[in-house]
Amino acid sequence: MSEHAEVVVVGGGIMGVSVAHALTQLGVRDVVVLERRTLAAGASGKTGALLRQHYTNVPEATLARISLEIFQHWAEYIGGDCGFQQTGMIVTVSTSGADAVNIEKMHRVAAMHQRVGIRTHIVSPEELRGLQPFVITDDIAAAAWEPDSGVVDAVAATRSMAEAAARGGARIRDGVEVTAIRVVGDRVFGVDTSDGPVDAPSVVVAAGSWSVPLLAAVGVVVPIEALRVQVAVLNRPFSMPATGTMSYVDTAAGFFCRNWGPNRTLAGVGGGEFHDVVEPDDYDERIDPAFGPAVKRAMSIRMPAMADATVLYGHAGIYDMTPDTHPVLGAAPGVAGLLLALGFSGAGFKKGPAIGRCLAEGIVHGRSQSVDLTPFRLERFEDDSWRRPWSEDEYSFSTDFGHRF
Ligand SMILES: Cc1cc2nc3c(=O)[nH]c(=O)nc-3n(C[C@H](O)[C@H](O)[C@H](O)COP(=O)(O)OP(=O)(O)OC[C@H]3O[C@@H](n4cnc5c(N)ncnc54)[C@H](O)[C@@H]3O)c2cc1C
């Protein structure tokens, strides 16, 4: 006999458990989350979980802002603890040569942030050195400072969100792999799993790069590549503050970093030779020998003392990259009842709670009420329109940082 649910969610990362939780909040309790390994076994367990608000387009800035509010007040919204730490966030973009146009854009982006409720201050190099005396700023004309932003413990947040969904009635089943999406005519009617079929009129696919073959088998083609990306944990030298640094997404120097426990920093580099396209089930999860030195080189452009940091360990994970680096959210064309939450392109964790809420609203009310998800629809890839920037203030990046803002 088949199991039955009102909604099946494929994938137990932050997206899957957020959709499940939001559904239970809206009164849909007959939800089952199917995770083939353990919760947060994919990108959600390997992420840096930096909660940057800095987007140059309104929809993603708003998703990041709503999510930050939830991370900040986790006990109230979700219950439990996600390990939120308000570190503050510094975002830099190159401002020299052809990229000088970014300064004006940054000011307009900060004004847009104010309109959507994000506190972003544009700081001069002197002001940045006042905030973080250990940085050098010769290469930038300005930086964006988000005093309210921070970081979370991504595994704790995913687990805690799943527990909240379970309290609301959702069944969280790990160790159960979805082997096929079942479609009759133009309607989804459930999934096949390693533990038998589950009938459901709605199926949400939130399985990162692993979603691609499942969807292709029912005629839904998603242009997603699995990109291997590395992060390392470094022990900071004594001259760096024991309390650590703000979180950085430093596209000018080419790194991102956050505090990772006492005297430790987690960091990665943007784009380039350390990002390679792989098979999501067959890639090297260790860091390359050259990766640690590359992280130290990039970080020491901004924080010279980090040239003397010690690389302790690291890992590689997967970004589910779309061609425009924006996610794919909402209905799968041609298959009624099938919903997509994928293609987060290395920047999904910070938006997870809001995306879960929006998708749940779509299932319950027919369309998302919190944020209009239309720009994220899969159909944008049917012609060349996806190549257009999502706002006129999208930054010009002369170096690849892995994703657009
Ligand atoms: C190194 C790294 C650093 C990052 N840093 C940041 C950051 O600082 N800030 C940020 O916002 N984002 C960051 N990201 C991106 C962020 O982690 C992801 O966008 C986010 O975690 C995606 O969540 P998800 O639930 O969509 O996918 P995942 O967490 O990958 O979850 C998908 C789940 O589906 C399961 N699954 C796969 N196939 C099946 C199947 N057939 N049946 C059942 N289950 C299945 C997998 O096991 C997995 O657990 C980073 C990612 C990486 C890899």
Side-chain angles (χ1 to χ4, degrees):
M1 263 203 7
S2 288
E3 184 179 345
H4 182 275
E6 242 177 279
V7 183
V8 165
V9 180
V10 187
I14 190 64
M15 294 302 160
V17 297
S18 295
V19 179
H21 172 254
L23 282 166
T24 64
Q25 293 289 98
L26 293 176
V28 181
R29 298 175 189 283
D30 186 12
V31 179
V32 59
V33 177
L34 302 171
E35 163 55 50
R36 69 174 186 165
R37 295 170 69 196
T38 51
L39 296 178
S44 300
K46 293 185 155 187
T47 180
L50 282 76
L51 310 179
R52 161 175 62 91
Q53 309 286 282
H54 203 90
Y55 282 93
T56 60
N57 67 80
V58 172
E60 284 182 291
T62 309
L63 289 169
R65 195 263 301 153
I66 295 171
S67 296
L68 179 65
E69 158 94 18
I70 295 169
F71 286 123
Q72 285 169 323
H73 305 285
W74 192 264
E76 200 179 305
Y77 281 104
I78 311 297
D81 189 2
C82 68
F84 175 74
Q85 293 168 42
Q86 184 181 341
T87 59
M89 172 87 56
I90 297 294
V91 177
T92 73
V93 289
S94 155
T95 49
S96 54
D99 294 342
V101 62
N102 285 336
I103 304 174
E104 280 175 30
K105 289 183 176 186
M106 198 180 247
H107 282 279
R108 285 199 298 266
V109 168
M112 178 271 278
H113 284 181
Q114 200 172 1
R115 290 195 294 279
V116 303
I118 298 169
R119 279 207 306 152
T120 298
H121 305 293
I122 306 304
V123 291
S124 67
E126 297 72 34
E127 286 168 323
L128 178 52
R129 290 198 303 275
L131 291 165
Q132 303 268 271
F134 45 86
V135 301
I136 52 172
T137 51
D138 304 350
D139 59 326
I140 48 169
W145 170 39
E146 300 168 10
D148 301 326
S149 298
V151 295
V152 288
D153 178 329
V155 177
T158 306
R159 166 90 200 192
S160 174
M161 185 72 96
E163 286 173 356
R167 284 195 299 277
R171 279 112 69 201
I172 309 290
R173 296 183 58 198
D174 57 5
V176 180
E177 177 165 7
V178 172
T179 51
I181 298 164
R182 291 193 291 156
V183 174
V184 169
D186 61 359
R187 261 221 81 83
V188 76
F189 75 100
V191 294
D192 288 327
T193 81
S194 53
D195 196 32
V198 184
D199 294 341
S202 290
V203 173
V204 180
V205 179
S209 299
W210 296 278
S211 311
V212 175
L214 280 177
L215 291 166
V218 294
V220 177
V221 177
V222 287
I224 286 177
E225 277 184 338
L227 196 69
R228 171 176 173 267
V229 175
Q230 307 170 52
V231 285
V233 173
L234 299 95
N235 197 5
R236 292 190 294 270
F238 191 64
S239 57
M240 290 290 288
T243 47
T245 68
M246 287 196 211
S247 303
Y248 281 70
V249 178
D250 196 325
T251 73
F255 73 93
F256 58 90
C257 76
R258 59 165 286 185
N259 301 330
W260 194 257
N263 208 53
R264 268 161 279 176
T265 291
L266 175 138
V269 295
E273 59 180 310
F274 295 105
H275 288 192
D276 45 331
V277 176
V278 293
E279 283 298 319
D281 280 321
D282 182 21
Y283 71 97
D284 190 349
E285 297 188 53
R286 299 164 304 181
I287 53 171
D288 301 344
F291 182 70
V295 169
K296 284 171 48 170
R297 256 194 321 277
M299 280 199 79
S300 57
I301 295 173
R302 188 71 57 230
M303 305 171 191
M306 288 303 283
D308 296 324
T310 304
V311 177
L312 297 175
Y313 54 87
H315 62 237
I318 298 276
Y319 284 1
D320 50 344
M321 298 300 296
T322 63
D324 59 9
T325 82
H326 301 297
V328 174
L329 303 175
V335 186
L338 184 61
L339 282 124
L340 309 175
L342 33 101
F344 294 102
S345 304
F349 206 90
K350 64 177 74 62
K351 296 177 293 222
I355 288 173
R357 182 188 286 178
C358 291
L359 289 171
E361 288 169 353
I363 292 169
V364 173
H365 303 301
R367 67 190 306 269
S368 165
Q369 298 174 330
S370 300
V371 178
D372 177 14
L373 296 184
T374 313
F376 300 97
R377 66 199 186 286
L378 177 61
E379 292 90 324
R380 71 185 188 271
F381 296 113
E382 285 171 4
D383 56 40
D384 264 0
S385 57
W386 64 267
R387 293 183 190 279
R388 283 197 291 272
W390 280 26
S391 91
E392 59 186 26
D393 292 324
E394 188 171 301
Y395 296 123
S396 119
F397 280 161
S398 39
T399 52
D400 167 27
F401 196 73
H403 36 247
R404 284 150 58 170
F405 283 10

